[in-house]
């Protein structure tokens, strides 16, 4: 997740003079930060003394206060991004903000309630085998309302090879299996682009690791701080959370503070390297000598270049239009300022419908509502893309790069533009040949391993059989969406979010570790989302076989997160209000609006 304004340079430990290449921090500011850290150490003892039942009660309190600020949260977030109350895409801030946090709280409450009653978090949840002998946890949907509202969507968590179902059950719960053992105080350097990320990261610190948290918000989120403080007032009151503002000097002071046990960052690899290895002439030497400047553990989510693999098949005109709008959404939601914004569409040059899909994609990409490109540094990255690809199609606030056979795709493959820049590349082949080539291309040519998206019609998936499953297993990504977008996995709390495992501080790629993970699973490899290829009612008539390879049944004619959904703002707000407060009448109104999407 690129975060251009996240503090980038660590500095002195408390009481030491910073090096000359590190930002200064005033004495009063240092004293304020030190006091917050002392309070969090007291809070860590309070947390360790709470029983699981008391923690459940506390989380219920956080849920109540979060529900109370949901409207302020969504409207403040939208305003900070230049979106007023009439903008058709204002619903994005309801779903990616309070809706996501309320869902996470509900899921964590369920997990801790089970542990408190002596029940395993995985009891009643289906576990089976995924390709390669992996254990697969069917982690979504787990509630009746999710099965109804999000019918057709399913999510799985695949554990690392060698983890047995019994081992998965034995470890589920992570630090909540040993609630009295404190993890100390951690630092969370918050993302600047999506408003739920900082507080979801705080919840994971507290629940997966028993760490109280000092959250330093990105300056782009400063206007949300009063909302965060009201939403998380129960945690703040017990000394479990402190929230601070500040720029690079504050981040630098905190990353090397001796009384903080751990750092978690959602940002860019450049920021990560500056924290771990430092900046200036000494950074390269420290890396060569394997002497990191950071002396404490660090986890991170750092984004990447996400593929959208389009498997050739026999699509109807409606399929072409719908999936083109789907791809446009993957790039244009939040104006492309997402770590998992789809960036490279991988198509077959031998697909008979390739030209028709390209035409549909151009229309969908051009017709999506305009919105501000608001994130710091976006304009310069757009300029960079224009320099790399001067023949790209410029459509107002966005750019479409269609790579021809004599074009160099290197910049598109290696640069996370974090802006509305979408590329299209072609590979030869049909069926399994194309799919295997596309998987290899995504694994070997595109930067990062955070999220991959794949579009395939049910008939083609059935024809590939186990070859399709092997291809999914071969994709080295922490989140994979089949006929969906990985952003759905992000807001699904019982799935996991993070890079494919194996990165190190020296080669960090898309990051280290996972978050969300409300079932508190250990040794996670990836999450896999499966979604309907066709919306309601067009899936009717397709068979739904036991293998799950038929047309997935859904009640949604068009998901509210699509940038082309006419009623997306109303439906997103309605779903959040229902998540917060329930109410059958409001839900009926929301579903009626959804049918007009």
């Amino acid at each position: 997740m690129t975060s251009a304004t996240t503090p980038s340079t660590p500095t002195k430990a408390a009481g030491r003079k910073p090096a000359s290449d590190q930002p200064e921090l005033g004495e009063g500011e240092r004293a304020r930060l030190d006091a917050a850290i002392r309070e969090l150490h007291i809070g860590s003892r309070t947390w360790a003394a709470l029983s699981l039942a008391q923690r459940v009660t506390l989380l219920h309190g956080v849920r109540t206060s979060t529900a109370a600020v949901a409207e302020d949260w969504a409207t403040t977030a939208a305003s900070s991004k230049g979106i007023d109350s009439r903008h058709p895409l204002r619903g994005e801030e309801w779903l990616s903000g309070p809706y996501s946090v309320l869902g996470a709280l509900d899921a964590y409450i369920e997990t801790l309630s089970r542990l408190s009653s002596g029940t395993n978090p995985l009891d009643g949840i289906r576990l089976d085998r995924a390709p390669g002998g992996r254990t697969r946890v069917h982690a979504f949907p787990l509630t009746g309302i999710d099965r109804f509202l999000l019918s057709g969507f399913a999510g799985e968590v695949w554990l690392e090879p060698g983890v047995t179902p019994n081992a998965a059950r034995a470890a589920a719960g992570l630090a909540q299996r040993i609630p009295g053992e404190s993890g100390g105080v951690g630092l969370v350097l918050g993302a600047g682009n999506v408003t739920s990320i900082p507080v979801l990261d705080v919840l994971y610190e507290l629940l997966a690791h028993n760490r109280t948290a000092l959250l330093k918000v990105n300056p782009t989120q400063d206007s949300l701080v009063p909302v965060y403080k009201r939403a998380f007032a129960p945690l703040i009151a017990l000394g479990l959370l402190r929230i601070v503002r500040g720029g690079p000097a504050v981040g630098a002071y905190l990353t090397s503070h001796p009384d903080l046990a751990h750092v978690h960052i959602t940002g860019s690899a450049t920021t990560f390297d500056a924290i771990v290895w430092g900046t200036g002439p000494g950074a390269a030497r420290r890396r060569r000598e394997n002497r990191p400047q950071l002396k404490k553990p660090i986890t991170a989510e750092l984004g990447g270049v996400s593929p959208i693999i389009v498997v050739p098949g026999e699509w109807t005109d409606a399929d072409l239009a719908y999936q083109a709008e789907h791809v446009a959404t993957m790039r244009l939601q939040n104006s492309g300022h997402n770590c998992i914004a789809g960036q490279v569409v991988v198509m077959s040059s031998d697909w008979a419908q390739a030209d028709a899909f390209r035409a549909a994609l151009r229309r969908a990409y051009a017709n999506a509502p305009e919105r501000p490109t608001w994130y710091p540094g976006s304009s310069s990255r757009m300029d960079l893309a224009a320099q790399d690809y001067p023949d790209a199609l410029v459509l107002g606030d966005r750019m479409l790069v269609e790579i021809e056979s004599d074009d160099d795709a290197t910049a598109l493959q290696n640069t996370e533009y974090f802006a509305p820049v979408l590329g299209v590349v072609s590979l030869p082949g049909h069926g399994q040949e194309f799919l295997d080539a596309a998987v290899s291309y995504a694994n070997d040519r595109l930067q990062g391993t955070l999220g991959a998206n794949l579009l395939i019609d049910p008939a083609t998936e059935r024809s590939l059989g186990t070859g399709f499953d092997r291809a999914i297993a071969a994709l080295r990504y922490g989140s994979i969406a089949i006929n969906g977008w990985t952003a759905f996995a992000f807001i699904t709390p019982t799935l996991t979010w993070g890079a494919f495992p194996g990165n190190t501080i020296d080669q960090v790629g898309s990051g280290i570790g996972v978050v969300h993970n409300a079932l508190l699973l250990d040794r996670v490899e990836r999450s896999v989302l499966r979604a309907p290829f066709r919306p309601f009612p067009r899936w009717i008539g397709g068979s739904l076989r036991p293998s799950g390879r038929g047309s997935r049944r859904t009640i949604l004619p068009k998901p509210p997160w699509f940038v082309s959904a006419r009623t997306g703002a109303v439906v997103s707000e309605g779903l959040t209000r229902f998540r917060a407060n329930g109410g059958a009448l409001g839900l009926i109104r929301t579903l009626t609006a959804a049918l007009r999407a």
Side-chain angles (χ1 to χ4, degrees), residues 52-299:
L52 289 172
Q54 289 172 320
R55 294 179 182 191
V56 169
T57 300
L58 178 62
L59 291 180
H60 276 294
V62 176
R63 191 194 190 285
T64 299
S65 53
T66 298
V69 303
E71 183 171 357
D72 283 350
W73 186 326
T75 55
T76 302
S79 177
S80 74
K81 299 177 181 183
I83 294 178
D84 63 26
S85 60
R86 297 164 296 176
H87 198 283
L89 298 181
R90 65 189 183 277
E92 292 177 359
E93 299 309 319
W94 285 89
L95 290 182
S96 65
Y99 180 92
S100 298
V101 174
L102 289 165
L105 287 166
D106 286 341
Y108 284 129
I109 287 169
E110 175 64 20
T111 293
L112 266 66
S113 295
R114 289 184 172 214
L115 289 167
S116 177
S117 66
T119 303
N120 191 284
L122 294 180
D123 281 1
I125 296 175
R126 183 160 63 99
L127 278 66
D128 60 14
R129 289 296 192 175
R134 296 168 173 87
T135 291
R136 171 169 52 193
V137 181
H138 292 265
F140 180 86
L142 298 179
T143 67
I145 194 64
D146 282 341
R147 292 187 185 97
F148 171 65
L149 292 177
L150 295 165
S151 57
F153 291 80
E156 309 158 359
V157 178
W158 293 17
L159 305 182
E160 294 176 353
V163 179
T164 65
N166 284 340
R169 292 187 182 94
L174 296 178
Q176 297 312 299
R177 302 184 69 86
I178 45 172
E181 294 188 14
S182 172
V185 180
L187 170 65
V188 173
L189 297 175
N193 60 329
V194 175
T195 61
S196 63
I197 293 176
V199 289
L200 289 175
D201 291 348
V202 163
L203 286 174
Y204 199 67
E205 285 289 289
L206 190 63
L207 298 170
H209 304 293
N210 277 335
R211 279 196 289 263
T212 56
L214 178 63
L215 168 60
K216 198 213 80 66
V217 296
N218 187 290
T220 64
Q221 305 283 6
D222 278 353
S223 63
L224 269 296
V225 169
V227 175
Y228 291 155
K229 287 184 175 180
R230 288 161 58 200
F232 282 74
L235 300 186
I236 293 171
L238 288 179
L240 310 180
L241 171 65
R242 290 292 180 267
I243 303 173
V244 298
R245 296 180 175 93
V250 172
Y253 181 76
L254 293 174
T255 52
S256 19
H257 199 289
D259 296 332
L260 292 172
H262 181 270
V263 176
H264 177 78
I265 175 176
T266 299
S268 69
T270 300
T271 301
F272 178 93
D273 286 344
I275 291 172
V276 173
W277 304 104
T279 59
R285 183 181 68 254
R286 283 189 287 271
R287 188 189 286 268
R288 285 195 308 271
E289 297 171 356
N290 194 27
R291 292 188 300 105
Q293 178 172 276
L294 186 71
K295 304 302 182 185
K296 57 178 67 73
I298 183 169
T299 51

Side-chain angles (χ1 to χ4, degrees), residues 303-314:
V305 175
S306 294
I308 307 167
I309 297 171
V310 181
V311 181
E314 294 184 13

Side-chain angles (χ1 to χ4, degrees), residues 299-382:
T299 51
E301 190 263 271
L302 307 174
V305 175
S306 294
I308 307 167
I309 297 171
V310 181
V311 181
E314 294 184 13
W315 294 13
T316 66
D317 290 344
D319 292 337
L320 293 168
Y322 177 83
Q323 295 300 346
E325 293 175 19
H326 198 175
V327 171
T329 296
M330 295 183 200
R331 180 71 262 183
L332 296 178
Q333 200 269 357
N334 200 24
S335 199
H337 308 319
N338 289 329
C339 54
I340 34 90
Q343 180 164 306
V344 178
V345 180
V346 185
M347 295 175 52
S348 169
S349 56
D350 296 325
W351 186 23
Q353 295 177 289
D355 289 343
F357 184 71
R358 285 175 179 265
L361 180 56
R362 293 185 199 109
R363 285 193 298 271
Y365 199 63
N367 290 338
E370 290 198 14
R371 58 174 297 159
T373 304
W374 62 272
Y375 200 82
S378 298
S379 296
S380 62
R381 287 188 291 274
M382 292 285 286

Side-chain angles (χ1 to χ4, degrees), residues 438-456:
V439 167
S440 295
Y441 176 88
N443 285 342
D444 301 335
R445 303 289 290 277
L446 301 184
Q447 186 271 325
T449 62
L450 184 62
N453 312 277
L454 190 146
L455 305 177
I456 183 169

